[in-house]
Structure formats: structure tokens, C-alpha cells
Amino acid sequence: MSMALDTWLEVWEVVRRNRLRTLLTMGGVFWGMFMLLLMAGFGKGLERGVANSLGGRSSNAVFVWSQSTSLAYRGMRPGREVDFKNADLPAIRNEVSGIEVLVPRMQLGGFRNRTEIVGNGKTGAFQVMGDAPDLKRIQPMSMRSGRFINPLDMEQERKVAVIGAQVAKEFWGEVDPVGDSIQCNGVWFRVVGVFDSRQSGDTGERAESTIHIPFATFQRAFNIGDSVGWIALTGQPDASAVALEEEVRQLLAKRHRIHPDDEPAIGSYNAEEEWRQLQATFAGIRLFVVIVGSFTLLSGVVGVSNILLVTVRERTSEIGLRRALGATQGQVIRMILREAMVLVGVAGYAGLVIGVAFLELSRWLVGADNPTLGNPQVELNLVLISGICLLFAGALAAWVPARRAAAISPVEALRAE
Amino acid sequence: MIKLSGLRKSYASGGGRLEVLKGLDLHIRPGESVAIMGSSGSGKSTLLNVLGLLDGFDEGSYLLADQDMKDLPEVDSAGIRSRTLGFVFQSFNLLETKDAIENVALPLYYQQVRRAERMAQARAMLERVGLGDRGDHRPSQLSGGQKQRVAIARALVSNPKVILADEPTGALDTATSHEIMDLLDEVQQSGITLVVVTHEPDIAERMQRTIYLRDGRIVDEL
């Protein structure tokens, strides 16, 4: 039998000697690790749930839409309807730097309006949007079949439509509708693609109940001239969405003769602030998890340390005898260290395994795409970090008792006997 | 085997220092048996602790098998305790959680001897002290005399050059004391140096030499 195994047998003997106390002590570490993983897992799940509801939408996306003026300006009375035009887009592209994607958008019947659509002999109400190919870069989607709008569709003003999964399901059930047609306001469009939204919750459902047709076709088919409903853009990675929003607003105000102080004339929204707040919230949650989890784990470790101190005190004469029989201080330290490592290691590992199992069970129960808990799970790096923390925790728990054990004078210990 | 010259040892006591050994000179030859006697507080246990490297000393010199023990590194003194010295205590100092064989084998554990080998050696040593059939008994299942035999077996298992015994019969009845002393006589006759601290004159009489300590000094020698 190797000496290494022999030393572990010594540890086992000590652990076995005080079964109940050992179990209670290990319970603290187990609970600490279990809670740390649980909080981290559900924290991450919540974060994913929210991220999913955003569906990978760009964090620096800006939306600008036209409204009515509220201030008189250059002889024009307040209450004038502002109408963005196609020409605004190249102007924005030329005069505002830092823009990555810039697309015009228009919705039939106005914002969030549903239009009666006929498809496969059935009728239903859905959103109809005029969009450009680059919309995919602002509002990511997964093509279930076919394709999204392409530049040729725009150039040739093709009467094609890309429909959301919900639209396809309602009209065609499980049959792929690509190649079939839908009718909208008396105009027929050939379905060229079906998409799933990458967003979850209401936003995702709304997106999948949408029909996208080429923006140029939309303008011609529904006879709206060169009007643009709203403009969506994203900034380059280093550009601030807040700054872009302001620059675009100023430029559009200038182009449409709007008073510089007439805020209500142009509506706008940027996701940056919301994104920042979310990030700050999640950073807070992560910090909370780390602090609470660490302290729970630490309290378990302190428990182990205390119990080891008691054990060392109880074993004073034994340790003294071992020293007298040839144990070095280093061997005594290693002996206590091994005991702590076993207590913390076994309990922590059990907490880790059961914690992961619990999270998997929760995921199975709530579903991997639960909008609130959004796939609660622990990432591998957290497991690895927790494992390393356990080793340190074990060493930490053993440090004081081990030093105290090593400092035991054999003379004093044997006299105590 | 043991050579002390001007050995002094003191302890901190109430802000000052209490000198316990006051310049001892002592020479013990290999294979010799020596009794150390003296009243309580005379320094005999301190002397035994210093000889056993369980405690250090302040001044003078201590040669053990011609090796200087002054300011010996902790690891070296542990090695000497394990290999060169054997201890027998008045209260046996056996580990209650281990059986007799495991108790005897303990010093070999610290010499990195593999388990099977140290168990074999321990079993052989228990045979030698007449407890071959008690190997799997825990100390609580043994009589006082048997416990001390186990302790002597433990002291002998490393083939030490010196056995240091502190009141080895102090906790035993007279008959058992004589049995233990017979065993220690055998040990000494096998060539091992034997140093015994005792209060009992009849134990001391069995030794080749008796040293009397008083107030940290050797006052007489027979």
C-alpha cells in the first residue's frame, strides 16, 4: 500500500471518529456551495431571460419617427405633420458619422396596426411592415425557410413577402408556405421566406406575427410616395447611441424645418440607456450573488475551521505523542490540512454536484426557454472557479488549526496526558 | 552514547527565568542502564525531555551518539526521535483509536515505512513483549501492564539506540512493575542504552548506575 493512500486512511480514521460532528460541519460547506451555485445559476438564467427577450437586438440601436410640430417656425404654424422622406436616409448617412446600419421602416396602417391578410384561403390580422434587407442586422431573426428581403427585391420593387412563423402557422399549419402567396389590401405578395424571432415573450410573439415586404415595394403598392414611417439605425461599436440619436434628430429637424427646441416634433428612442441600466442591474445581481454566496461559503469554512480547532484541542496529547514519536511540524500541518481538505472538498463537491443537478432539474421543470428564468444553468467557468475556491477554502479552514497543532509542545501535551 | 557538558535549561517564569538544570555534566556509555532519581522539581523530567529532544537547552553541550544536539533543526530532531530514541511514559500514551499493532507501528509511519512492512515489524515486536495474541486489542481492552508492554514494543520497533523511560512503572502495581522492569532489563541486555526516571529505589537498584538530582544539579551518583 502506498504511503499516499496510507495518509488518506489516517484522515478517514479521524473523520470516522466523529461522524455526526463531521457531517454537521460538512453541511455548512455543502450548503454554502449549493447556495452559491443556485444563486449564480438562477441569476444567470434571469439575465438570459431578459437577454432573450431583447433577442440579440443591438444595444446601440436608435429609432427615430416623425410626429407633429408643437412650435411655430419660419412662418409655419404648430401642429404640422412631419413626414420623413427617402432622401433623409442618404442625408443622414452622409452627414452623421459613426452609423453602421441605417434602414427606413413603414407599417401599414400605423404603428402596431394589424391589417387583414388572406393566405391559403384563410383570413387573419397581422402587422405588415415595409423593410430593407439590413433590418436583419438590427432585429436578428432565424430563417426557418427561404430567405429575407434582398437588394434585388428593393431594386425591382418585387412583390414578395417574408412572414413570421406565427403567420405561416395560422395560414398553412406545418406546411412550408414558401412559393405560395398572401393578399394584403388587395395586393398579392409571393412568400419567399419564413422566420423565427430570436426574441422571447410578447416582443417575440409580435415579431412572428409580422409580414415584411420590401420597403420600395411597400411605398409603391400602398401608394405612399416617398414617405418613411420611421428610421432605424445602429451605431458602429465605438459610437454612442445617445450622441447618434441627438445628431440625427438635429439633422432631421433642420431638413424638415422644425424649431430646434421642438422636441415633440420628432420621436426617438435609443436602447443604449436601457441596455446600460440592464447591464448595471445584472452586474449588481452578479455582485450580490458573489458576495452572498462567498459569505455563505465562508461561514461554512469558518465552521470547518472551528471544528478543526476543537479537534486539535481534543487531540493535543495525540499530536504531542506523534511529535514525540517522530512527526515533524510539517507533517502535523499536512495532517490537519488533509483533514480540512477532505471535509471541505467532499462537502463542497457534493454541494457542487447537487447544485448543478438541482439547476438541471429546474431547467427541465420550467423549460429551457422560460422567459423569466431563461435557462437556469451554471457555466463551466463558474464551476471551475468554485472548485479552485474550494481548495483555497480548505486551506484557509485548516490554516489556523494547523498552525496551532504544529505549535503544540510535545512536553506540554504529554504532561497534559 | 550520551554526553552532557555544562548543560543549562531555564524557563520563563513570572517575568524572570527559572533555571531548572544548572550546568549538568553526565556521560552515559552505550548499552548502560541509568536511573535518574530526585524529588519533585529536581529537574529529572526536564532532563529526560532534553535528552529526548522534546525540549531544547540554553547552554552547554549535548552529544548523542557523538552528534551535537545543540540548535538542531526541527526536522532533524524529529528524525532522531523517530530512529535513535524510544520513549516509555508513565501513562503509556497509547492512541485509544488504534489497536495495539497500529500503536506499535506508529513511529515507523513517520519513517515512511510502508504499511504492510510496518505492521509485520509491529507484530513481531508485540510477540517479543509477549503480546502476540493482543495485536487487535484496543488500549481500553488491555490491562495496565499490557499497555506498558505495548508502549515498550512501540519504543523498540524502530531499533533505537536509547530508551528513555519516565516513571515506567508509576501507574502499575508491584507485581506488574517487576514484570515491566524484567522486560526493560532484557531490552538493556540487548545492548540498548536505558535511561529511567523513577521515584522508586527498587527500580533504581536494577540499573547499573543511579544519578541523584537536586535543584537542577547532580548531587550524587551510585
Side-chain angles (χ1 to χ4, degrees):
Chain A
M1 190 184 293
S2 72
M3 283 306 292
L5 183 60
D6 219 5
T7 53
W8 289 112
L9 283 174
E10 283 273 315
V11 174
W12 171 240
E13 188 193 296
V14 174
V15 168
R16 202 182 49 175
R17 208 183 298 169
N18 298 299
R19 281 196 195 108
L20 180 64
R21 191 166 65 190
T22 302
L23 276 175
L24 289 174
T25 309
M26 289 168 83
V29 177
F30 167 85
W31 189 247
M33 182 52 91
F34 180 74
M35 288 307 290
L36 175 68
L37 279 179
L38 227 60
M39 285 193 293
F42 280 112
K44 194 74 196 167
L46 191 66
E47 198 172 329
R48 279 194 188 161
V50 175
N52 282 347
S53 73
L54 294 174
R57 197 176 68 192
S58 301
S59 59
N60 60 354
V62 176
F63 304 90
V64 186
W65 58 93
S66 53
Q67 298 182 144
S68 302
T69 58
S70 64
L71 297 173
Y73 189 54
R74 289 189 180 173
M76 288 179 286
R77 291 161 62 180
R80 174 172 53 100
E81 289 285 331
V82 178
D83 189 14
F84 292 160
K85 300 291 184 189
N86 286 352
D88 288 328
L89 281 102
I92 292 170
R93 177 67 81 182
N94 289 337
E95 294 186 36
V96 179
S97 58
I99 292 178
E100 190 162 276
V101 179
L102 177 68
V103 290
R105 301 199 74 187
M106 177 69 98
Q107 182 166 356
L108 198 58
F111 186 57
R112 289 197 178 169
N113 179 65
R114 285 176 177 251
T115 305
E116 196 166 280
I117 306 291
V118 179
N120 198 26
K122 296 171 189 167
T123 306
F126 298 102
Q127 295 192 117
V128 179
M129 311 281 294
D131 278 311
D134 270 352
L135 178 76
K136 266 202 322 189
R137 296 171 64 189
I138 298 179
Q139 187 181 301
M141 53 184 78
S142 310
M143 295 310 298
R144 183 182 281 192
S145 67
R147 61 172 177 82
F148 194 64
I149 296 162
N150 66 25
L152 267 180
D153 295 333
M154 295 284 280
E155 207 178 297
Q156 298 175 3
E157 296 175 6
R158 289 173 174 168
K159 286 180 182 167
V160 294
V162 178
I163 63 175
Q166 197 57 41
V167 182
K169 190 178 172 191
E170 198 148 322
F171 288 155
W172 285 276
E174 297 306 314
V175 179
D176 184 3
V178 170
D180 212 332
S181 299
I182 54 167
Q183 192 204 62
C184 172
N185 278 9
V187 184
W188 287 93
F189 295 88
R190 188 164 54 86
V191 178
V192 293
V194 181
F195 68 92
D196 289 307
S197 173
R198 284 203 216 150
Q199 292 165 295
S200 60
D202 290 347
T203 320
E205 275 180 32
R206 200 162 44 242
E208 290 182 355
S209 299
T210 301
I211 296 162
H212 297 275
I213 60 180
F215 189 77
T217 314
F218 186 100
Q219 283 180 321
R220 179 171 289 259
F222 303 118
N223 200 25
I224 54 166
D226 64 345
S227 288
V228 171
W230 73 93
I231 294 163
L233 60 96
T234 62
Q236 285 165 357
D238 55 344
S240 155
V242 178
L244 281 178
E245 180 186 2
E246 192 48 39
E247 277 188 68
V248 170
R249 283 178 64 96
Q250 281 176 11
L251 176 67
L252 289 170
K254 202 168 128 190
R255 286 177 59 82
H256 291 272
R257 296 180 187 174
I258 298 167
H259 190 289
D261 298 331
D262 193 353
E263 292 281 326
I266 297 175
S268 62
Y269 163 79
N270 81 75
E272 188 175 88
E273 194 56 35
E274 188 187 6
W275 186 259
R276 246 189 239 155
Q277 283 171 359
L278 271 176
Q279 290 304 307
T281 306
F282 287 126
I285 290 174
R286 281 195 291 270
L287 187 68
F288 176 79
V289 165
V290 167
I291 290 175
V292 174
S294 303
F295 274 94
T296 315
L297 192 58
L298 191 65
S299 67
V301 168
V302 170
V304 171
S305 193
N306 272 333
I307 223 76
L308 283 172
L309 272 176
V310 172
T311 308
V312 165
R313 196 173 303 135
E314 281 179 2
R315 293 169 63 194
T316 297
S317 58
E318 178 198 326
I319 291 167
L321 176 70
R322 286 175 183 269
R323 292 285 314 279
L325 297 182
T328 62
Q329 283 182 322
Q331 283 170 319
V332 171
I333 287 176
R334 284 196 291 278
M335 178 176 78
I336 304 295
L337 209 68
R338 274 192 294 267
E339 285 168 26
M341 289 300 208
V342 166
L343 292 180
V344 173
V346 171
Y349 188 71
L352 205 142
V353 169
I354 293 174
V356 170
F358 191 87
L359 284 173
E360 287 296 316
L361 182 71
S362 310
R363 192 155 63 126
W364 180 70
L365 287 175
V366 302
D369 55 351
N370 184 285
T372 313
L373 292 177
N375 200 3
Q377 60 177 264
V378 176
E379 288 172 346
L380 182 66
N381 60 358
L382 180 72
V383 174
L384 291 176
I385 290 170
S386 304
I388 292 167
C389 283
L390 263 184
L391 289 179
F392 278 108
L396 189 72
W399 181 248
V400 174
R403 298 295 303 174
R404 196 162 290 182
I408 288 173
S409 150
V411 174
E412 297 296 325
L414 294 171
R415 191 178 294 155
E417 177 80 7
Chain B
M1 176 54 61
I2 290 171
K3 200 168 183 182
L4 305 181
S5 306
L7 189 116
R8 288 179 181 275
K9 169 75 183 168
S10 60
Y11 292 108
S13 170
R17 292 200 73 79
L18 176 67
E19 196 164 33
V20 184
L21 301 177
K22 300 170 179 170
L24 294 188
D25 296 308
L26 178 65
H27 184 201
I28 300 173
R29 291 181 299 277
E32 192 179 11
S33 62
V34 176
I36 299 172
M37 293 192 75
S39 55
S40 286
S42 61
K44 55 187 190 303
S45 288
T46 301
L47 174 59
L48 201 73
N49 288 336
V50 170
L51 293 178
L53 304 180
L54 297 175
D55 212 345
F57 56 96
D58 305 327
E59 285 177 39
S61 75
Y62 169 21
L63 299 180
L64 175 64
D66 295 327
Q67 191 184 347
D68 192 355
M69 298 291 116
K70 179 80 174 165
D71 299 329
L72 210 57
E74 192 262 338
V75 175
D76 293 348
S77 62
I80 291 170
R81 280 200 299 274
S82 168
R83 290 181 169 83
T84 310
L85 302 171
F87 294 91
V88 179
F89 305 98
Q90 179 179 358
S91 51
F92 324 124
N93 287 88
L94 300 176
L95 297 183
E96 288 296 330
T97 54
K98 291 184 181 289
D99 61 25
I101 285 192
E102 286 171 325
N103 266 289
V104 173
L106 201 55
L108 300 176
Y109 175 80
Y110 293 109
Q111 293 172 26
Q112 309 284 306
V113 176
R114 285 174 176 275
R115 186 176 175 84
E117 193 184 332
R118 63 174 196 263
M119 289 303 161
Q121 288 185 36
R123 196 168 284 114
M125 201 50 70
L126 275 176
E127 296 276 356
R128 184 176 161 188
V129 300
L131 290 177
D133 58 342
R134 295 284 191 275
D136 57 351
H137 284 50
R138 294 280 170 102
S140 57
Q141 298 168 303
L142 299 172
S143 68
Q146 286 171 330
K147 284 181 191 174
Q148 198 58 300
R149 281 172 188 271
V150 173
I152 290 169
R154 182 180 64 192
L156 291 172
V157 78
S158 302
N159 293 320
K161 291 180 176 146
V162 179
I163 294 276
L164 301 169
D166 189 1
E167 304 278 7
T169 58
L172 303 174
D173 59 52
T174 309
T176 313
S177 293
H178 285 291
E179 283 173 28
I180 291 299
M181 285 318 296
D182 290 344
L183 184 58
L184 287 175
D185 283 345
E186 278 176 46
V187 168
Q188 187 264 328
Q189 279 156 20
S190 69
I192 294 173
T193 307
L194 182 63
V195 180
V196 179
V197 165
T198 182
H199 276 108
E200 299 167 59
D202 55 331
I203 301 294
E205 274 172 20
R206 301 176 70 136
M207 301 292 115
Q208 292 168 336
R209 196 149 57 107
T210 302
I211 290 159
Y212 294 92
L213 281 182
R214 187 187 299 153
D215 295 334
R217 289 192 176 88
I218 295 173
V219 291
D220 203 357
E221 193 174 331
L222 292 173

